């Protein structure tokens, strides 16, 4: 009974720790290292990310094919380092790790910068909308004086104006991205 309880208590920790590895045993055994390098480059990982795979596969006595990984990574990183890829990466709110070589980084950063700004504006818009909803719910639930109702209504109005400005800024950024051919 105690042994079963111990196993049940440790199971979540074991599952959590095993989820941290970049690859599991079957992935290490069947890995196409060139393809894996390519996938990592397209996800914005640096070529040194192979160290994570090495650490994961070391547990199973499997050594990555470093040459194949690097070749796959080098071929794919040029596709990643384009402005449209930067746009998609920024729109998802991903963090750029200076993966691109200097010659192609500027193109990537143009798209990334716009995508990241729009992502940030959309986060701000969500937060302001949530704050407006919260104030509205509060105004319905709470017993307030006329002065408190007026103050709350004024705050909601002010937030609504902020929201319109944020949406206008997002629209302006989309137009800029569209002019650059980044918006699908």
């Amino acid at each position: 009974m105690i042994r079963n309880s111990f196993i049940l208590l440790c199971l979540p920790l074991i599952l959590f720790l095993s989820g941290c590895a970049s690859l599991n045993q079957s992935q290490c055994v069947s890995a196409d290292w060139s393809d894996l390098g390519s996938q990592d480059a397209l996800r914005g990982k640096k070529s040194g990310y192979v160290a994570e795979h090495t650490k994961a596969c070391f547990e199973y006595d499997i050594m990555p094919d470093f040459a194949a990984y690097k070749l796959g990574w080098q071929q794919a990183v040029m596709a990643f380092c384009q402005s449209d890829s930067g746009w998609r990466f920024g729109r998802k709110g991903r963090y750029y790790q200076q993966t691109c070589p200097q010659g192609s980084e500027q193109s990537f950063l143009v798209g990334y910068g716009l995508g990241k700004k729009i992502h940030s504006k959309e986060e701000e818009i969500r937060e302001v909308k949530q704050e407006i909803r919260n104030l509205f719910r509060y105004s319905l639930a709470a017993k307030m004086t006329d002065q408190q109702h007026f103050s709350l209504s004024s705050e909601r109005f002010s937030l609504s104006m902020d929201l319109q400005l944020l949406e206008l800024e997002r629209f302006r950024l989309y137009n800029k991205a569209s002019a650059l051919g980044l918006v699908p």
Side-chain angles (χ1 to χ4, degrees):
M1 179 69 171
I2 293 174
R3 184 170 188 250
N4 288 341
S5 297
F6 179 75
I7 291 172
L8 286 175
L9 288 173
C10 291
L11 188 59
L13 179 62
I14 293 167
L15 290 173
F16 173 76
L17 291 174
S18 67
C20 295
S22 66
L23 301 172
N24 62 34
Q25 185 175 10
S26 70
Q27 291 169 322
C28 288
V29 169
S30 65
D32 176 338
W33 291 101
S34 177
D35 188 50
L36 193 55
S38 179
Q39 290 172 26
D40 286 348
L42 293 173
R43 288 192 322 237
K45 304 285 185 190
K46 290 186 172 191
S47 64
Y49 191 73
V50 71
E52 295 299 316
H53 301 315
T54 303
K55 187 167 48 172
C57 294
F58 179 77
E59 191 174 328
Y60 313 111
D61 292 326
I62 298 170
M63 186 62 79
D65 182 341
F66 295 108
Y69 179 90
K70 186 154 181 107
L71 179 64
W73 186 90
Q74 287 173 333
Q75 290 171 344
V77 77
M78 296 317 290
F80 174 75
C81 295
Q82 302 296 316
S83 59
D84 59 332
S85 180
W87 162 258
R88 288 188 303 276
F89 204 69
R91 288 285 291 123
K92 292 177 184 175
R94 307 272 313 271
Y95 176 73
Y96 173 56
Q97 301 177 19
Q98 286 74 37
T99 305
C100 299
Q102 235 175 5
S104 61
E105 187 173 51
Q106 188 58 36
S107 176
F108 176 86
L109 289 175
V110 167
Y112 178 73
L114 279 170
K116 190 78 166 166
K117 285 178 186 175
I118 289 174
H119 177 78
S120 290
K121 288 294 169 209
E122 289 173 344
E123 288 288 313
E124 288 180 68
I125 288 168
R126 275 191 287 282
E127 289 171 11
V128 170
K129 284 181 175 180
Q130 184 60 48
E131 200 170 334
I132 290 170
R133 282 190 296 273
N134 290 343
L135 287 173
F136 182 73
R137 281 190 212 114
Y138 180 73
S139 71
L140 293 176
K143 294 186 187 232
M144 293 184 268
T145 65
D146 289 341
Q147 179 62 34
Q148 289 170 323
H149 267 291
F150 178 76
S151 178
L152 204 57
S153 293
S154 294
E155 180 63 24
R156 281 194 356 242
F157 179 77
S158 177
L159 285 170
S160 295
M161 293 294 105
D162 291 347
L163 180 61
Q164 287 180 6
L165 290 173
L166 287 168
E167 288 174 340
L168 185 62
E169 179 64 14
R170 178 182 59 180
F171 180 74
R172 186 188 68 74
L173 289 167
Y174 261 108
N175 282 342
K176 189 174 182 180
S178 183
L180 293 172
L182 298 173
V183 179

